[in-house]
Each structure stands twice: as C-alpha cells, then as structure tokens.
Amino acid sequence: RPRLLSGMQPTSGSLHLGNYLGALTQWVSLQETHDALYCVVDLHALTVSPDPAALRERSRATAAQYLAAGVDPSRSALFLQSHVPAHVELAWVLSCITGYGEAGRMTQFKDKSAKQGAEGTTVGLFTYPVLMAADILLYDAAEVPVGEDQRQHLELTRNLAQRFNARFGPTFVVPEAYIPKETAKVFDLQDPTAKMSKTSSSPKGIVDVMDESSVTAKKIRSAVTDTDGVVRFDRAEKPGVSNLLAIHSALSGTAIADLESAFAGRGYGDLKKEVAEVVTGVLGPVRERTRELLADPDSLDEILAEGARRANAIAGETLAKVYDKIGLVRPR
Ligand code: TYM
C-alpha cells in the first residue's frame, strides 16, 4: 500500500468547510487504499503565537475532529507533530539545503508577512515550509492530500527531496500532491473570490465544523450571490452561486449539472435552503461526535500516544539514515 501523509494546523477550535472538503474527506476515503499518517501540526501553529491554553485545547479539538469525520486510528496513525522530535531535526537539515531566495518566494509567506509587517514576521514563519517538507519526507509519503493553497509548498518539498537525493544518494521518495479538482478550493461565503480561511476578515464567510446548525444555516442564507437570479455554475461570472453549487455537490454527491437542472426556474432562496440542509446534515453528526470524543480526553490521548509510537518508529529510521548520509558521526 502506498504511503500517505497529511496535516492541519490547530489554529482554531474548529476546522472550517474548506479544511473539511479540501482535505479531511479525502483523508477518510484514502485510508481504504493507502497506509496513512495524519498529523496535527501543532509546531506549525506556533507561527501565529497562540495562547498556551488555547493551543493545548485546539490541538486536541483538531485531533477529535479528524476522528469524528472518520479517520480510523486502527488503520491510520493519528498523532501530534510535537510528539515526534524527528520533524524538527530533519527540518534543520533541510533548511541547510534550502535557498534563502527560494524560501522567500513562497506566496503564503509573502502574503502573511505583508499582513503582519516586518516587526510581526518571525523566522518561524519564513522556515515554515521547510518544516512541512520534513513532515512529508520523513515518512516516504508518495502522496499528500491537500487543498490548492498548499501546492507551492509541495513543489518546494519535491525540490528539496530531489536536491538531497542528488547530493547524498537516493534517500527520499519524491511526493506528489493529491488535489482533487472539485474540492481544491472552497470559497468565502461573503467574498466568493477569496478562499475560505481562518484568517478571513469576517466570520460570516466561514462555515465552521463546530458551529451550531442554526448558525451555519444563517451564514449560508446570507451568502453573497448575484442579481441575475439563475442557478448556473460559472466561476468567473457567478462565483457565489458556483461556490454554493460546488459545496452541495461535494457533500451530496450530486453532479453539478444535475443540480442546475433541479434548480431550473427556482430562486437562490431555494438553493441556499437546500445547501444549508446538506451542510448541516453532514457536519451536525461530526460536531456531536467531536464533543463526545473531547469529553473523554484520556482515550483521545491514548489514541495520540499510539499514533506517535507508530510515527516515531518510521521517522526515527529515516532521520538516522539522513544523519548518516550527511556525515554526522552516529552515537554508539
Ligand atoms: P491548513 O491548516 O491551513 O489547512 C489544512 C488543509 O485544508 C486545506 N484548505 C482548503 N482546501 C480547500 N478550500 C479551502 N478554502 C481551504 N483552506 C484550507 C489546506 O490546503 C490543507 O490541506 N501547511 C499546511 C499544514 C501542513 C501540512 C503538512 C499539510 C503542515 N505540514 C504536511 C500536508 C502535509 C496548512 O497550513 O494547512
């Protein structure tokens, strides 16, 4: 079975619909065919300088949402990044083969550092994609299921793997991004040309997995659309309506063309009502299950400990191989 790894940052107490469709649903189905490792990248989340108590809570909440959505810990390893020290150790080695300019070209770094200003921009934010490369390369992951916004980071990971292999001999598997087209990008409900993101300007544009159903329905009801009144999929001309159709289709499994026919002659009110039903129908049970899992933190921590044991076994071996290849003297 091909190996696969992915992760999400615990930057909020709730994942949003972009994380859910762009990544989590793929993770759940890929368990059937792949040997998967799913990581809560708590060390990555330090780049937003979270409050310590909040970080602790969000890390467990993120893990619980993976499980609630269907990640099966008897098949896939589920772990916290900070439980596997090799991530940071390999990141240092990789940072020594990463160009300064190369890291500076990452568009997420450019966007985030522009927002935070020179004072607010940390070295951690700059080297973030190198840590992400280490996450992936430690496990010989052949595929990495992510949303479109991570494509450039995956490209850097591939470049670093190839560079290391060329210099020190075959070591790393060069990973492929796995980005299904339909769910690659879920857009903000209030600003449907921008991706749905934890750092969006308005919470009204973001559907959170942990929102109450009434809140979700209200957000969808007030989604920005257009004035021509026809339910038709057209990303360029009708981004709001297209986003709603794409969300419906991804969750209900109904083809977009079939949705267009079903809504022929009907208004946006009907569309929004049905999208809200589909979304709350799927997310409601995930939210309930997450709450149950969080009510029993000992069991959750045990699952994370088991995942870390499996991850450490693989990662430790890769790191030892790397240290040896680059000429570090190994301890007896
Ligand atoms: P993060 O935590 O921002 O997002 C988690 C996953 O959700 C996807 N995503 C989206 N997909 C579709 N539409 C959206 N609006 C949307 N917003 C987010 C992201 O593409 C991602 O797949 N750097 C990563 C975390 C990471 C990682 C890794 C991922 C660290 N190490 C190793 C894979 C492998 C990030 O910040 O994702």
Side-chain angles (χ1 to χ4, degrees):
R1 284 153 71 90
R3 182 71 62 65
L4 177 153
L5 175 127
S6 198
M8 302 203 203
Q9 296 193 68
T11 38
S12 143
S14 178
L15 299 176
H16 59 64
L17 192 58
N19 304 136
Y20 184 80
L21 285 176
L24 201 43
T25 53
Q26 322 302 330
W27 295 10
V28 172
S29 44
L30 286 164
Q31 303 180 106
E32 310 289 336
T33 46
H34 288 69
D35 173 18
L37 297 114
Y38 297 125
C39 181
V40 175
V41 292
D42 51 357
L43 295 168
H44 274 105
L46 295 177
T47 55
V48 300
S49 53
D51 165 68
L55 178 60
R56 207 168 281 129
E57 198 181 301
R58 290 167 181 177
S59 296
R60 287 203 181 92
T62 302
Q65 287 168 87
Y66 291 1
L67 291 167
V71 167
D72 174 1
S74 68
R75 284 190 290 179
S76 307
L78 165 57
F79 66 103
L80 301 184
Q81 186 184 32
S82 63
H83 290 184
V84 184
H87 289 239
V88 175
E89 297 171 286
L90 181 62
W92 172 255
V93 173
L94 294 177
S95 74
C96 295
I97 63 163
T98 307
Y100 185 81
E102 187 177 33
R105 280 194 293 278
M106 295 293 113
T107 56
Q108 287 217 341
F109 171 72
K110 288 198 278 191
D111 293 348
K112 288 185 183 171
S113 58
K115 263 191 209 153
Q116 290 169 11
E119 289 299 306
T121 300
T122 63
V123 173
L125 190 65
F126 186 65
T127 57
Y128 174 112
V130 180
L131 180 57
M132 175 164 165
D135 299 340
I136 296 164
L137 298 181
L138 277 174
Y139 299 97
D140 291 335
E143 280 171 282
V144 184
V146 285
E148 183 60 41
D149 61 346
Q150 297 301 316
R151 192 185 286 283
Q152 196 189 25
H153 290 159
L154 249 296
E155 213 35 60
L156 175 72
T157 304
R158 291 169 54 80
N159 289 338
L160 293 178
Q162 282 160 346
R163 190 171 307 154
F164 189 99
N165 290 349
R167 183 150 162 211
F168 300 104
T171 309
F172 295 125
V173 170
V174 181
E176 299 280 349
Y178 176 91
I179 308 179
K181 191 163 146 279
E182 309 74 47
T183 50
K185 201 163 178 184
V186 175
F187 293 84
D188 190 294
L189 297 180
Q190 287 299 315
D191 178 5
T193 55
K195 75 165 179 178
M196 189 177 283
S197 153
K198 283 162 226 169
T199 53
S200 304
S201 43
S202 157
K204 280 175 65 190
I206 308 160
V207 172
D208 274 324
V209 171
M210 298 305 289
D211 276 345
E212 291 300 331
S213 297
S214 57
V215 174
T216 301
K218 190 163 174 224
K219 286 180 178 176
I220 293 172
R221 258 201 320 275
S222 38
V224 166
T225 48
D226 53 59
T227 52
D228 92 337
V230 181
V231 177
R232 182 168 56 83
F233 188 86
D234 181 340
R235 287 272 192 211
E237 297 295 326
K238 299 168 69 65
V241 170
S242 302
N243 192 34
L244 292 173
L245 285 170
I247 290 169
H248 188 314
S249 173
L251 290 172
S252 67
T254 314
I256 288 184
D258 293 339
L259 291 174
E260 286 175 332
S261 325
F263 283 100
R266 295 162 67 193
Y268 296 160
D270 279 7
L271 172 66
K272 288 174 171 178
K273 188 159 168 271
E274 198 171 304
V275 171
E277 279 164 16
V278 170
V279 172
T280 55
V282 172
L283 295 187
V286 175
R287 184 181 67 236
E288 291 310 315
R289 179 85 190 108
T290 301
R291 293 216 178 108
E292 286 164 23
L293 288 159
L294 288 173
D296 182 4
D298 286 347
S299 303
L300 185 58
D301 287 356
E302 186 41 54
I303 290 172
L304 294 172
E306 172 56 24
R309 278 191 284 277
R310 285 160 68 186
N312 268 305
I314 304 169
E317 228 174 85
T318 308
L319 186 73
K321 196 163 73 180
V322 166
Y323 275 5
D324 188 48
K325 289 208 174 181
I326 61 179
L328 299 177
V329 175
R330 309 309 301 133
R332 280 188 197 241

